[in-house]
Amino acid sequence: METWEFYQEKLDHYREELDNGNHDVEQDVVDLEENLKRDIEMCFEEKDAAPYKKVLKALKALKVEFEFYDQEGELDMMFPDRHDDDFDEDSMNIFGND
């Protein structure tokens, strides 16, 4: 079994769980997305990455369908440079200093 096929099986399982109302798997879906992205980055050729990208596209559609809240994505949107080494964590305090 190819690695991307394993990811597809996991995604199918998570879809079934979400369809049955088990939203406890949402973090598992987010973790699966991170693993997919990592594996796509490790592919040397586009043709090798294509099946992974197809699964990733389906995963993103699943997240939209089930209205996932992505805390990290929200923070990245609000503070795009927060991963920089010289980022000041205090600048994330939008309410001012207490």
Side-chain angles (χ1 to χ4, degrees):
M1 172 184 288
E2 296 285 331
T3 306
W4 69 267
E5 292 173 314
F6 170 77
Y7 288 140
Q8 182 64 54
E9 283 185 9
K10 294 295 276 183
L11 181 61
D12 293 342
H13 169 74
Y14 295 145
R15 171 176 285 288
E16 186 176 319
E17 290 293 317
L18 289 165
D19 282 338
N20 292 329
N22 180 7
H23 293 275
D24 293 337
V25 298
E26 286 186 8
Q27 184 58 49
D28 296 329
V29 173
V30 172
D31 294 341
L32 181 66
E33 181 178 24
E34 293 304 314
N35 290 336
L36 271 166
K37 288 178 180 178
R38 185 196 66 234
D39 283 359
I40 289 170
E41 288 176 5
M42 292 175 44
C43 289
F44 293 111
E45 298 196 24
E46 184 64 30
K47 67 179 175 102
D48 295 334
Y52 292 92
K53 288 182 177 180
K54 183 178 177 184
V55 176
L56 182 61
K57 183 177 180 182
L59 185 145
K60 288 181 178 183
L62 176 101
K63 287 176 64 178
V64 169
E65 178 182 344
F66 286 95
E67 299 176 353
F68 275 46
Y69 172 72
D70 181 13
Q71 179 180 1
E72 289 298 313
E74 289 288 323
L75 286 172
D76 286 342
M77 183 179 66
M78 293 169 53
F79 307 100
D81 60 344
R82 72 187 187 99
H83 297 290
D84 294 349
D85 291 335
D86 62 345
F87 183 72
D88 178 17
E89 291 284 329
D90 293 333
S91 70
M92 291 178 66
N93 185 356
I94 61 174
F95 301 108
N97 293 333
D98 291 328

